[in-house]
Amino acid sequence: MVVGKNMTVQNSISAEELEEIIILIQRQYGYDFGDYARASLHRRVIRCMQKAGCLTAYELKYQLTNDHRFFAWFIESLTVNVTEMFRDPSFYKELRQNVLPKLASYPAIKIWHAGCSTGEEVFSMAILLHEMGLLSRTRLYATDLNPANLDRARQGIVPLQYMKDYTANYIQSGGTNDFSAYYTARYENAIIHKEYRKNIVFAVHNLATDHVFNEFQLVCCRNVLIYFNRNLQNRAINLFSNSLTPLGYLALGMKESLLFTDVRHQFEVVNPAVRIYRSKR
Amino acid sequence: MSRVSVVVIGGSAGSIPVVTELLQALPRHFQFSVIIVLHRLRNVISSLDTILGNKVQVITIREPNDKEEIREQYVYLAPQNYHLLIEADKTFSLDYSETVHHSRPSIDVTFESVAQVYASQAVAVLLSGANQDGADGLQAIINQGGMVIVQDPATAEYPAMPKAALERNREAVVLTPPEIAAFLRTLTQ
């Protein structure tokens, strides 16, 4: 650790120490971060150390080993839980105009949001489905590895301070209703009305270790794979490929691609700008 | 100084004309990669890569995909609404975590990541802007042995960001935009 004249003591760990921490978490608790991209994981670990007041990797390892409550907090803070409603309005516009009309031909629609965090994207999807008259025959499966995220998502709570931005996103995505009709403001929170959430099933699922659990016409996994290395990205995309019905859709984040996966030839690109793919099988 | 592998440029309000000037100064065959982080609006359709590209037709400006390999002679622009990180194997990783200095992409985040991977082979350039982003990142570059250039605040449309960086980093070289452009040209000779 370098401490210069203008510097405060910084919480820092080396690349080797990061590997030791990953192994400790795996051995002791079974969470496998071995195939997470190191650059962001490193940042997250240091951020957790700052919040917890751990100065060295030794201190962090000691706490992780001896304090189970600390470990639970650490895992919840380690994964990125940032999300937005109607993030990338052009993506939702494409769903509205071209993808959901195709799904309308199915008597029952099943959609999987993998890595749903606190639910903002699945709520956005439910609102779209409602506006297209499809919500009542759709079941939305929203999964995350972090149980604390799911607890929050089940309550349908979105911080009120962001609703202004989300309303702008919604309008840009082609929404024409009064967005505030979808939620009730209570103190500093907006609560999405129950009728838009009742077809959502929230469940724990870890893309690094869990398997196919159902079949879907649309899988949304946006800005989750960016935290994985190419190996784990490949595993996850294979999992999605095996979870899709014939001609099912896969939606990724705006800068995520199938390029580095071995199933890329099994998909055709529906809209390259918003990264929507369709299974050829 | 060791061979320069990457020039990373951070800018905010008032920086786009300077970025354009620097890119126009790059020779056709520059033997390093350029990574640009500009504060941008989120959730609006942005064609900044095209706008910059139109002004600098000889080089290609890419918004990288996640896990894309970083190549020489390419100019990369951090995509909107992501932090841009560098992996040890010199590929990009995108990150959608909390904003830093109310910004995503944040200049600090990319500078710190570049410092980790490129160490003394990095040159960081901080331009005009109205907040404090970049100051910590420049310090990381200096600590790892890289070179740090800050736009002369007297020439910046918004001097707050370069000023904040200079208060933090006395080792930084202060240059006007034409001087930065001239310096970039020397890297290729």
Side-chain angles (χ1 to χ4, degrees), chain B:
Chain B
M1 192 175 150
S2 50
R3 194 184 86 88
V4 171
S5 298
V6 67
V7 173
V8 59
I9 302 171
S12 188
S15 69
I16 289 184
V18 185
V19 169
T20 308
E21 182 179 345
L22 298 183
L23 293 182
Q24 282 168 340
L26 285 176
R28 189 179 286 261
H29 301 293
F30 53 100
Q31 303 296 313
F32 49 86
S33 314
V34 177
I35 301 171
I36 303 171
V37 183
L38 298 175
H39 291 161
R40 316 166 62 173
L41 289 174
R42 299 193 283 272
N43 284 313
V44 294
I45 297 204
S46 161
S47 44
L48 189 56
D49 52 336
T50 320
I51 293 166
L52 285 174
N54 287 342
K55 290 182 178 161
V56 200
Q57 280 159 357
V58 285
I59 49 177
T60 316
I61 298 175
R62 281 187 60 79
E63 286 191 356
N65 283 313
D66 180 58
K67 302 299 173 296
E68 186 173 322
E69 186 189 339
I70 303 172
R71 300 169 64 177
E72 276 187 6
Q73 287 189 44
Y74 273 70
V75 175
Y76 298 98
L77 176 66
Q80 65 183 151
N81 214 354
Y82 292 102
H83 294 304
L84 184 63
L85 299 172
I86 320 292
E87 298 291 341
D89 65 357
K90 296 186 180 162
T91 54
F92 286 110
S93 260
L94 297 173
D95 176 300
Y96 179 42
S97 59
E98 294 78 0
T99 58
V100 175
H101 299 291
H102 305 287
S103 303
R104 187 173 55 229
S106 143
I107 299 165
D108 275 341
V109 169
T110 302
F111 279 10
E112 284 165 7
S113 194
V114 163
Q116 286 277 327
V117 174
Y118 287 93
S120 63
Q121 294 181 13
V123 173
V125 181
L126 190 74
L127 305 175
S128 170
N131 69 9
Q132 316 279 302
D133 200 7
D136 290 346
L138 288 182
Q139 187 161 69
I141 298 269
I142 290 169
N143 289 344
Q144 296 295 325
M147 183 186 175
V148 160
I149 298 169
V150 174
Q151 181 183 355
D152 183 346
T155 68
E157 200 179 328
Y158 292 85
M161 200 162 85
K163 273 185 179 162
L166 289 172
E167 277 165 25
R168 250 352 257 280
N169 304 283
R170 305 279 156 79
E171 302 90 332
V173 181
V174 183
L175 298 177
T176 65
E179 288 168 344
I180 304 172
F183 171 77
L184 293 185
R185 278 192 295 270
T186 67
L187 292 178
T188 324
Q189 283 163 8

